[in-house]
Structure formats: C-alpha cells, structure tokens
Amino acid sequence: MIDPQAVAERVQEIRSDITSITSSNVAIVAVTKTFGHDAIRAAFSAHCDAVGENYTQELLGKAAEAPIELPVHFIGAIQSNKVRQLAPIVAVWQGVDRISVVHELVKRAPGAQILLQVNSTGEASKSGVPPTEVESLLASAVDAGLNVRGLMTIGPTSGNAIEARKAFSSLRSLADSLALPECSMGMSDDYRLAVECGSTMIRIGSRLFGARPSAQ
Ligand SMILES: *Cc1c(COP(=O)(O)O)cnc(C)c1O
C-alpha cells in the first residue's frame, strides 16, 4: 500500500536536499514501475514533475485503466515494435541509444522529446551508447527532427562514490560540450552525488514508494 502522506514527506526531503546543494531547478521523475495508480496519484499530489515507467505492457495497462496525470517518461529499453503503441502515452523518451530506435520514433512520434542514454561507466551489462558515439547519434536524431533534450545515464552498479562522481561529471561535460540542457542522472541511492555533478533530472523509485515487489 502506498501512503500518500509519506510519499509527500519524502519528496519534501529530496527537494530540501537539492536546494542545499544547488540553486538550479532539478526535476523529480517518480519511478512508478511495478507500482499501481496509487503511486502515480501520490506522485501527482506530492508535485513530482513526471512519472517514469520501464515496461511497455505494464504502462499500456495503467494508461488503459485511468488517465495518468503527470507527463510519462519512458526510462526503460525501447523496443522498436512497441513505439507505436506507446507514442500516445509517452511525453519523453529517455533511453534512446540506437539509430533503429531513432528511425522508429521519427515514424511513430515525429518531433518527440528524447534523451540519449549514455553508457558512462563502460560496464558491459549497461545499455547506452558509448560516449564516443554520442555526437553522431545526436546528429542523426536532430537531422531526423527529434527534439533531443539531453543525456541520460545510470550510475555504476557498484555504488562506488568515486566511480559515480566520475560517470556523472563526464556526462555533464559531454552534455555541455554538445549544448544539451538536460542531464538525467541520479536514483534513490546516488541522487545527491548526481545533483552535485550537475544533474537536472533525478529518477527516484524505491526512496519514494519502498522496495519494489520484484524485478520483472
Ligand atoms: C528503476 C529505475 C530507477 C529508479 O531506481 P530506484 O533505485 O528505485 O530509485 C531509475 N532509473 C531507471 C533507468 C530505472 O530503471
């Protein structure tokens, strides 16, 4: 069960953490994957900026059940054959890391707002385009008319603070060098570090809603 009051308090805590680090605006994307509409409603009441969802079928189910009152960010791996169904629901596609997905978005969601997912830690298990290939993927996406808002990354699995700082700082520098405003980085366990390194958007799940039932 989601306790909306508790969620609002945690959002408040996170907002005050952010203001203690920076005077810049940092958006909170409430990651509602594996939780139901009660989590989405709690995020809305707590004035989160958006909800983040990872799984196509789950998101389609939720959207069919009731309207989603916040902009939906798709933060999972994008399967090209699912883009058509998701297009009416998704406001921002984080996690674009391949030219085939760019082509599918151009067809099904022309002009869509996207973030390019970068593998900033070099871990083989992580999706994302290697930093050296970001510029050419960006050029293709812009040429195709997509609205590239910035970059997105996931911190090191190890949770090591030195590695995390390195990954987040390098993403920020890369975004700056490409004149991209948004840097989506930082999750429940590393958002402070990410904000210190210049995050403009943090993606918070378990810290708002508790442990997820189980990974899908
Ligand atoms: C699940 C997920 C999150 C949220 O993770 P928490 O640790 O629960 O805050 C953020 N970003 C992505 C890409 C995710 O898959």
Side-chain angles (χ1 to χ4, degrees), residues 16-138:
S16 61
D17 280 347
I18 293 169
T19 48
S20 73
I21 299 169
T22 178
S23 55
S24 304
N25 188 49
V26 177
I28 298 180
V29 178
V31 177
T32 46
K33 64 182 178 198
T34 76
F35 294 103
H37 266 278
D38 49 351
I40 295 174
R41 277 192 299 272
F44 176 72
S45 313
H47 306 291
C48 289
D49 299 278
V51 292
E53 291 278 343
N54 281 52
Y55 307 111
T56 300
Q57 288 315 320
E58 183 189 336
L59 174 54
L60 292 174
K62 285 181 198 178
E65 216 177 286
I68 298 176
E69 293 136 315
L70 285 169
V72 175
H73 289 217
F74 198 77
I75 61 174
I78 303 166
Q79 298 159 272
S80 292
N81 62 344
K82 297 294 162 55
V83 168
R84 186 181 57 81
Q85 281 172 290
L86 288 173
I89 302 165
V90 172
V92 179
W93 305 80
Q94 301 200 11
V96 176
D97 65 355
R98 270 167 297 143
I99 192 69
S100 58
V101 172
V102 166
H103 289 149
E104 193 61 22
L105 284 167
V106 169
K107 248 193 282 173
R108 309 293 185 186
Q113 291 191 45
I114 68 166
L115 301 180
L116 302 178
Q117 182 171 353
V118 180
N119 183 344
S120 60
T121 65
E123 288 163 275
S125 61
K126 289 246 156 71
S127 45
V129 60
T132 51
E133 291 166 30
V134 172
E135 192 168 2
S136 78
L137 186 61
L138 171 64

Side-chain angles (χ1 to χ4, degrees), residues 31 33 54-55 75-76 94 117 152-154 186-189 203-207 210 212:
V31 177
K33 64 182 178 198
N54 281 52
Y55 307 111
I75 61 174
Q94 301 200 11
Q117 182 171 353
M152 178 270 216
T153 202
I154 299 175
M187 310 185 1
S188 290
D189 293 330
R203 309 178 307 268
I204 309 288
S206 49
R207 197 178 162 86
R212 280 180 290 276

